[in-house]
Amino acid sequence: MRTGQALHARLGIDERSFVLRYVQPAMVGLIDGTVSTLAPIFASAYLAGSREALLVGLATALGAGISMGLSEGLSDPGTVTGRGRGRVRGTVTGVATFIGGSLHALPFLIPNVQHALAVAYVVVSIELVTIALIRKRFMRVPLGVSLLQVTLGGALVAGVGIALGHA
């Protein structure tokens, strides 16, 4: 039995409910956390250095995680859309947002900002490919289309951060 099948069987829900209650809120969080934190992290790296980028990255990841968790949790108690309890969806979204936003901040533990940036670019690439693969598996979006969509979104936001960092 595949891992996804085992998980939603264990939760006692069908795959559609599993996607609506867990996967979709996690995807919203991963995408938002990964993409929305790129601009402040890269801008601060170019403007101030590694330590500052790390702190800005962690602050934006935490703030975004709390904000997205509240937004998802308070948007529907679950009775309106049938997507499960708001508290659970909010927690899933908030945690996924924090993970998506913090992973590419961690390379800035490296004191040399140029080395940290190089590692961060690789981490962001891995994050975007992971998002595309999850979208392919659960949302049935063709991999090429998904890669194009998430990469374009990530590049736009990262470009804003890089441009502002060089202003």
Side-chain angles (χ1 to χ4, degrees), residues 24 55 62 150:
Q24 191 273 334
L55 295 175
L62 283 167
V150 298

Side-chain angles (χ1 to χ4, degrees), residues 96-114:
T97 302
F98 173 74
I99 290 169
S102 63
L103 290 178
H104 52 269
L106 295 178
F108 294 99
L109 287 166
I110 301 168
N112 181 303
V113 72
Q114 295 307 316

Side-chain angles (χ1 to χ4, degrees), residues 71-103:
S71 296
E72 180 64 30
L74 299 176
S75 67
D76 169 31
T79 55
V80 176
T81 63
R83 294 186 311 132
R85 295 184 310 216
R87 186 175 300 141
V88 172
R89 287 188 343 274
T91 301
V92 168
T93 302
V95 169
T97 302
F98 173 74
I99 290 169
S102 63
L103 290 178

Side-chain angles (χ1 to χ4, degrees), residues 120-164:
Y121 293 142
V122 172
V123 172
V124 170
S125 298
I126 292 168
E127 290 172 331
L128 295 175
V129 169
T130 300
I131 289 167
L133 289 170
I134 294 169
R135 291 183 74 218
K136 177 185 183 296
R137 162 63 176 94
F138 289 101
M139 307 303 175
R140 294 172 178 74
V141 178
L143 184 59
V145 171
S146 189
L147 281 170
L148 180 66
Q149 291 170 334
V150 298
T151 302
L152 181 59
L156 287 171
V157 176
V160 167
I162 293 167
L164 289 173

